[in-house]
Amino acid sequence: MSKSGPLRLLPEQLTVPIDLESLGFSTTDDLEPFKGILGQDRAVEAMHFGVAMKRAGYNMFVMGEPGTGRFSYAMRYLKAEAKRMPTPQDCAYVNNFEESRAPRALHMDAGTSGRFVEDIENLVDNLLATFPAAFEHPAFQQKKNAIDQKFNRRYDAAIESVERQALERNIMLYRDNGNLAFTPIREGRGLEEAEFAQLPEAERERYHADIAELEDLLSEALSSLPQWKRESSNELRELNEQTITEALNPLLVSLTERYCDNPAMCEYIQAVHQNLLKVVVELLVDERAELRSDAVKKAALIDHYSPNVIVEHSGSPGAPVVHEPHPSYDNLFGRVEYTSEQGALVTSYRNIRAGALHRANYGYLVLEADKLLAEPFAWEALKRALHSRQLKMESPWADLGRLTTVTLTPQVIPLSVKVVLIGSRRAYYMLQDYDPDFQELFRVLVDFDDHLPRTPDSIEGMAQLLKTRVDEEGMAPLTVAAVARILTYSARLAEHQQHLSASISDIFQLVAEADLVRELAGDRITDTGHIERALQAKENRTGRASARIREDMLSGVILIDTDGAAVGKCNGLTVLAIGDSVFGVPARISATVYPGSSGIVDIEREVNLGQPIHSKGVMILTGYLGSRYAQDHELEISASIALEQSYGYIDGDSASLGEVCALISALAKVPLKQCFAITGSINQFGEVQAIGGVNVKIEGFFRLCQARGLTGEQGVIIPRSNVPNLMLHQTVLDAAREGLFHIYAVDNVDQALSLLAGEDAGEPDEDGNFPAGSINDRVVRRLQAISQRNQHDDRESPGEAPGIEPLLKP
């Protein structure tokens, strides 16, 4: 233990204001705009490296807390770099005429997809103007009639040869609606059935035999009829194709010439040509087509041939930078939409919709890690795409058997994208620990610091950044005093006298609120008064919970003393966070000691309110007490420690300094001054360690004392290592200057104990003995007495097996 006493801090040590003269300007109008990002050199260097590295796997994870400028900087830098990159091709899906369920992807020069769609639509208009007019041309009709006549001549010749033989046998060949029949004739007319029945039986038999023979002759003569029909149909089809081709060539030649540099587009145009040979007849020339309107025909042709452009780069040149705020599976990978026709779901290549990966291909895709990880299927599918470097559009529900409708399988697209994940440190380390693929895919960490060093350069940069902000937002300029107050507020957010907060959004929020205060007041320039009123207004808006707790303390509902002295009790300091409101709250720490060997019972832990770190702090107390006071005897003690009137979960070890003081007070029966509140963590050697939230903790106890009336005796005891973290409110500073409130810094338990008890704790001599009558000496004597009593009780109970009770209850 150090023999130096506690340090009473001077008012100058409780904050570090900004020197106005060092700023060197009167208002922000005197400053130059800020360029770049303030104080994030490590992150900037990593971002430059990640963008420059083109190899696979060097995707980036931008790590930092919200408000540090990580997102805005990433977007701004990526857009600047993307402008220097080549513009990727447009992408469209077109009909696959051989397999409509597998649309083909068509890539074309950037900005040309819109013109190609217009060309296809013009082609459709020309088709409607050309057909069926081309089939009504006299030349086509003559050729069609010649084919029909050729077939008819063959048919008629076959019929006539049989008909002649029939007439020679007094039998006539009748044609009735395409049906052929033989009838006996007499005197140039056919016989009726009644007349035929009156003929002699021999004559009737002859007629029957002749007719049977003639039917055989007819069948033989017409045996080639199917072949003649096929030949006629083939000739007619060739004529149709020839006519369509002759009509289409003028329409398609210009398209082919325009897009001849792109083999895939030329191939598609040729496929359209071949498909039109069938579709024109079915859709435009067939008898059923005459019943359709031109609008229906045009819509059908466009749905069949017009490209479905999913990515078009017709705007500013350069690579795309896409931020997807809702990274669901469909929003990332695209989807196939469906329409209902007569109760059935149908789709086509025209219903394919692009995702963020399509739009960001050959550029940058910016995603927020927490949102991405919360979406079903999205993270695993993204990893697969980055591994394979292919963009495959499929439904994740198909693998689960949830998709029963027939869907499309669009052609896979090559994927070359750099993904930039933006997330917290928690998300980054969680992915590092639980996903082995993460490190392989995201090899570049862009780490944004939570604070900036408080140097002249960073102060100047922050002032320039404020100037840039107020100019961009059209706000009034800031005076140098207002800038200094904002910088002090930034150091308060950083909780360090030599740091500034990197949470730029909080700073900008304060500036915007102060500008509103200025506007309502009708002032021209924002000054410190506007800043202070904005801070006070925010505290009022979010201060209901803290005010209510303070009222309960003043009314005695919550028991907290700010004067007098008591054994086994002291005021600890806690931090409550409710929404965006964070404030300090005093809490009574109590300890009781009684004979026995049950160990030190942490009441919070026993009722499952104490969290691991708090329980660890209580266990450290045991180690400290044993090493400090029980070198010559066993540490046999029964004691309990509690944070009174705490009904929620408690974590952190910042109460361990107060707990050990309360426990020592109960052991030595030394009253502790209640005008003090104490915070600090201790180790097993009794050294006091730094804690968090020191400013709000001090101010929480100060406001209670202020409400009850400052006596000049009240104060807070903090670890000496927390002195650089002090950036206290002006009301606390004013009270300290007037000697009404005090801040003490301690290095060890004895120093804190001496302040609380108002007497020296007692330093051990070379043999480890404490001065007689000192607090520490009384603790040793009390522990010895308890140990001796426990040993006496053990001798009085011979029937019980000897054993060692645990020092700390599990």
Side-chain angles (χ1 to χ4, degrees):
M1 289 284 186
S2 171
K3 294 185 178 181
S4 60
L7 174 66
R8 178 175 173 178
L9 300 181
L10 300 175
E12 293 77 17
Q13 295 175 281
L14 305 183
T15 188
V16 178
I18 302 294
D19 183 11
L20 296 182
E21 295 183 359
S22 65
L23 296 178
F25 62 91
S26 58
T27 70
T28 51
D29 284 340
D30 301 334
L31 299 173
E32 296 292 328
F34 183 79
K35 298 179 181 179
I37 185 166
L38 182 62
Q40 300 288 356
D41 295 340
R42 180 188 295 104
V44 170
E45 182 180 351
M47 179 71 74
H48 291 181
F49 169 76
V51 169
M53 177 58 75
K54 304 301 182 184
R55 296 177 63 85
Y58 284 87
N59 299 293
M60 293 180 279
F61 191 102
V62 181
M63 182 175 73
E65 297 306 314
T68 54
R70 53 181 188 170
F71 176 79
S72 59
Y73 171 73
M75 292 296 293
R76 186 170 63 250
Y77 182 74
L78 292 176
K79 288 179 179 179
E81 290 298 313
K83 290 180 179 178
R84 294 194 280 268
M85 298 171 61
T87 305
Q89 292 182 311
D90 292 352
C91 181
Y93 274 104
V94 294
N95 201 350
N96 184 347
F97 304 114
E98 296 179 358
E99 177 51 77
S100 60
R101 290 176 58 186
R104 295 173 51 204
L106 198 62
H107 300 275
M108 59 200 81
D109 292 340
T112 62
S113 58
R115 186 180 66 179
F116 186 55
V117 171
E118 292 178 1
D119 289 341
I120 295 297
E121 292 179 353
N122 291 334
L123 173 64
V124 170
D125 291 336
N126 292 332
L127 289 174
L128 293 173
T130 303
F131 302 99
F135 288 88
E136 297 169 355
H137 194 274
F140 172 79
Q141 293 297 329
Q142 290 175 1
K143 294 178 182 179
K144 183 177 182 295
N145 291 335
I147 294 171
D148 294 339
Q149 291 173 3
K150 179 181 178 181
F151 172 79
N152 291 334
R153 283 195 300 269
R154 285 182 171 182
Y155 180 79
D156 291 341
I159 297 298
E160 288 173 359
S161 65
V162 177
E163 190 175 17
R164 284 194 299 268
Q165 297 184 48
L167 290 174
E168 293 175 353
R169 304 181 187 189
N170 291 324
I171 296 175
M172 181 180 291
L173 177 63
Y174 278 93
R175 305 180 190 184
D176 183 17
N177 294 328
N179 296 323
L180 300 175
F182 292 97
T183 302
I185 59 174
R186 178 173 288 183
E187 297 177 357
R189 66 178 183 85
L191 294 177
E192 300 290 339
E193 290 185 6
E195 294 175 332
F196 182 78
Q198 295 176 0
L199 294 175
E201 183 177 354
E203 189 175 355
R204 292 200 306 270
E205 291 295 334
R206 181 180 63 81
Y207 272 122
H208 282 305
D210 288 343
I211 290 175
E213 184 179 349
L214 288 172
E215 287 177 346
D216 290 340
L217 291 173
L218 181 63
S219 296
E220 183 179 353
L222 295 180
S223 61
S224 299
L225 181 63
Q227 181 181 349
W228 300 339
K229 190 67 176 178
R230 287 194 300 270
E231 291 176 355
S232 177
S233 298
N234 290 337
E235 290 176 0
L236 184 59
R237 185 177 65 253
E238 291 175 1
L239 176 61
N240 288 340
E241 291 180 356
Q242 181 183 359
T243 303
I244 294 172
T245 299
E246 290 175 354
L248 284 179
N249 280 338
L251 305 180
L252 295 176
V253 165
S254 59
L255 274 180
T256 305
E257 291 177 350
R258 180 174 297 175
Y259 300 105
C260 63
D261 293 337
N262 190 325
M265 297 181 71
C266 285
E267 182 181 347
Y268 175 67
I269 294 171
Q270 291 301 318
V272 170
H273 187 179
Q274 294 298 319
N275 188 255
L276 280 170
L277 298 178
K278 296 184 298 183
V279 172
V280 164
V281 175
E282 297 173 0
L283 190 61
L284 302 178
V285 180
D286 192 273
E287 293 180 357
R288 292 172 296 179
E290 296 178 359
L291 302 177
R292 304 189 186 106
S293 65
D294 285 347
V296 172
K297 295 176 184 178
K298 181 176 181 179
L301 288 170
I302 287 178
D303 285 344
H304 201 60
Y305 295 115
S306 183
N308 174 21
V309 179
I310 61 171
V311 178
E312 183 177 10
H313 300 285
S314 58
S316 57
V321 178
V322 177
H323 168 235
E324 177 52 62
H326 180 203
S328 65
Y329 185 94
D330 287 348
N331 289 346
L332 285 177
F333 292 88
R335 64 188 181 277
V336 177
E337 296 179 344
Y338 293 84
T339 57
S340 178
E341 292 185 6
Q342 298 179 351
L345 293 178
V346 296
T347 188
S348 72
Y349 77 99
R350 301 274 296 172
N351 290 345
I352 297 174
R353 300 292 177 259
L357 282 167
H358 293 92
R359 299 192 302 273
N361 205 6
Y362 298 97
Y364 302 95
L365 175 61
V366 181
L367 303 172
E368 293 163 76
D370 289 341
K371 294 180 179 180
L372 175 65
L373 296 174
E375 292 292 335
F377 312 111
W379 172 244
E380 293 298 328
L382 178 63
K383 291 193 298 179
R384 286 196 300 269
L386 293 177
H387 270 300
S388 64
R389 308 191 73 181
Q390 289 184 334
L391 181 49
K392 184 178 181 181
M393 189 180 296
E394 57 187 352
S395 173
W397 303 106
D399 294 337
L400 301 178
R402 298 280 298 278
L403 188 66
T404 58
T405 304
V406 174
T407 187
L408 303 180
T409 308
Q411 183 179 0
V412 174
I413 296 175
L415 180 64
S416 177
V417 66
K418 190 175 287 291
V419 177
V420 180
L421 281 183
I422 297 180
S424 63
R425 285 178 167 77
R426 180 190 60 82
Y428 177 78
Y429 293 121
M430 181 187 69
L431 288 169
Q432 284 276 10
D433 290 340
Y434 295 106
D435 193 334
D437 297 326
F438 176 71
Q439 181 60 39
E440 181 182 351
L441 292 173
F442 291 85
R443 298 176 180 173
V444 181
L445 172 62
V446 182
D447 190 356
F448 274 72
D449 237 330
D450 298 336
H451 61 267
L452 316 173
R454 179 172 166 172
T455 64
D457 289 341
S458 62
I459 290 175
E460 181 182 3
M462 183 71 79
Q464 291 177 329
L465 189 61
L466 292 172
K467 184 261 190 313
T468 304
R469 183 68 173 189
V470 297
D471 289 351
E472 289 176 350
E473 298 293 329
M475 295 185 286
L478 302 164
T479 66
V480 63
V483 172
R485 181 63 185 92
I486 292 170
L487 291 173
T488 303
Y489 174 72
S490 177
R492 164 64 180 249
L493 291 178
E495 286 196 298
H496 203 286
Q497 297 176 352
Q498 300 305 319
H499 293 161
L500 297 177
S501 172
S503 182
I504 306 299
S505 63
D506 290 337
I507 306 300
F508 290 162
Q509 178 184 340
L510 173 60
V511 173
E513 294 173 4
D515 188 72
L516 175 62
V517 173
R518 174 208 59 81
E519 184 179 351
L520 295 176
D523 297 328
R524 188 180 63 86
I525 298 179
T526 302
D527 206 349
T528 51
H530 306 119
I531 303 293
E532 296 292 353
R533 287 199 293 274
L535 288 171
Q536 185 60 46
K538 181 177 182 179
E539 185 176 342
N540 292 338
R541 291 194 302 270
T542 61
R544 184 195 63 83
S546 62
R548 180 64 180 271
I549 292 173
R550 192 159 51 249
E551 290 173 4
D552 288 345
M553 292 178 180
L554 293 174
S555 64
V557 174
I558 298 177
L559 301 177
I560 297 290
D561 294 329
T562 54
D563 57 12
V567 173
K569 294 190 295 185
C570 69
N571 296 322
L573 295 173
T574 63
V575 176
L576 289 183
I578 303 176
D580 62 346
S581 176
V582 180
F583 53 93
V585 177
R588 173 175 289 177
I589 299 172
S590 64
T592 59
V593 177
Y594 47 92
S597 56
S598 301
I600 300 177
V601 177
D602 177 11
I603 293 178
E604 310 299 333
R605 180 191 177 199
E606 292 298 311
V607 296
N608 294 322
L609 288 179
Q611 299 299 288
I613 297 178
H614 177 265
S615 298
K616 175 186 175 183
V618 176
M619 294 174 73
I620 288 175
L621 291 184
T622 305
Y624 171 69
L625 289 178
S627 64
R628 182 71 166 166
Y629 301 113
Q631 294 294 327
D632 300 328
H633 54 83
E634 292 184 1
L635 181 61
E636 294 186 356
I637 185 175
S638 291
S640 61
I641 298 177
L643 264 71
E644 303 292 352
Q645 293 182 284
S646 64
Y647 307 106
Y649 290 112
I650 297 174
D651 203 5
D653 59 354
S654 64
S656 58
L657 178 59
E659 289 169 342
V660 74
C661 290
L663 186 57
I664 292 174
S665 169
L667 282 168
K669 299 181 181 179
V670 175
L672 301 181
K673 296 180 180 179
Q674 303 300 295
C675 60
F676 288 114
I678 186 167
T679 182
S681 165
I682 68 167
N683 59 25
Q684 294 188 94
F685 301 102
E687 298 169 328
V688 179
Q689 304 166 141
I691 45 84
V694 63
N695 291 294
V696 293
K697 288 179 177 180
I698 293 173
E699 290 165 0
F701 186 67
F702 169 79
R703 289 192 175 97
L704 175 62
C705 296
Q706 187 182 43
R708 287 179 172 171
L710 296 173
T711 63
E713 298 293 329
Q714 296 140 335
V716 174
I717 301 169
I718 65 171
R720 193 187 298 263
S721 51
N722 276 121
V723 173
N725 302 115
L726 295 177
M727 293 294 298
L728 292 170
H729 194 273
Q730 187 62 43
T731 54
V732 182
L733 301 178
D734 292 341
R737 290 191 181 96
E738 296 173 8
L740 298 177
F741 195 79
H742 311 285
I743 313 296
Y744 295 90
V746 297
D747 293 306
N748 53 61
V749 173
D750 283 352
Q751 294 176 1
L753 194 58
S754 299
L755 279 171
L756 290 171
E759 59 178 289
D760 188 40
E763 290 288 337
D765 57 20
E766 295 179 355
D767 298 327
N769 297 318
F770 295 103
S774 64
I775 297 175
N776 288 332
D777 179 61
R778 280 176 273 176
V779 172
V780 173
R781 295 183 181 279
R782 178 74 184 280
L783 290 174
Q784 288 175 342
I786 293 174
S787 177
Q788 291 172 0
R789 177 170 179 170
N790 290 339
Q791 291 174 7
H792 175 74
D793 291 342
D794 290 341
R795 289 193 296 269
E796 293 294 325
S797 304
E800 296 182 3
I804 300 177
E805 293 289 335
L807 184 61
L808 183 65
K809 291 186 68 176

